[in-house]
Amino acid sequence: QVQLVESGGGLVQAGGSLRLSCAASGRAFSRVAMGWFRQAPGNEREFVSAISWSGDVRYYADSAKGRFTISRDNDKNTVYLQMNSLKPEDTAVYSCAAGPLTAHAMRVTAEGIEYWGKGTLVTVSS
């Protein structure tokens, strides 16, 4: 059974940092793109960042550019999201997603994404 398990969320003050992790089990994800999405209370789910299977191609939402960095370790089947200079508007449940969409496709749609984690809550206080 395929599982994506996120960790690393929590409460942080504005300006602080968090590093989210998403560990994939049950299948090797070295050949699929992975991404991060978030959903704040009362809002729709939105794209945050995505990375190609090789790690060479990365995409970010405008809100994340310059502050967030996505990376992956295929040997560990894990994708990371380093979040710096956090703002209260970054408060949301962050979920990771995997395949079969390309990282490029994840920028514009979540439809067709095969696997989702349950999410980890990030709360940024002002």
Side-chain angles (χ1 to χ4, degrees):
Q1 184 176 359
V2 175
Q3 281 191 319
L4 299 177
V5 180
E6 301 95 337
S7 61
L11 174 64
V12 63
Q13 289 188 332
S17 299
L18 283 174
R19 188 194 194 204
L20 306 184
S21 299
C22 173
S25 62
R27 170 184 166 177
F29 282 88
S30 61
R31 290 288 179 173
V32 299
M34 298 185 74
W36 287 96
F37 292 75
R38 69 186 183 185
Q39 186 167 19
N43 290 358
E44 294 185 352
R45 180 173 56 197
E46 63 177 4
F47 168 78
V48 177
S49 184
I51 187 168
S52 64
W53 67 266
S54 65
D56 291 342
V57 180
R58 310 176 190 195
Y59 296 102
Y60 298 94
D62 288 342
S63 60
K65 288 178 182 177
R67 300 188 300 126
F68 294 2
T69 302
I70 191 170
S71 61
R72 68 188 294 164
D73 184 338
N74 287 340
D75 290 337
K76 296 181 179 179
N77 276 357
T78 301
V79 64
Y80 305 96
L81 186 68
Q82 176 67 42
M83 304 187 296
N84 299 328
S85 302
L86 283 162
K87 306 174 182 179
E89 51 264 43
D90 293 319
T91 295
V93 174
Y94 285 71
S95 300
C96 70
L101 272 64
T102 65
H104 183 268
M106 287 184 184
R107 294 173 59 212
V108 293
T109 184
E111 289 189 26
I113 288 178
E114 188 170 5
Y115 302 109
W116 290 94
K118 292 184 178 180
T120 184
L121 177 63
V122 172
T123 303
V124 184
S125 63
S126 56

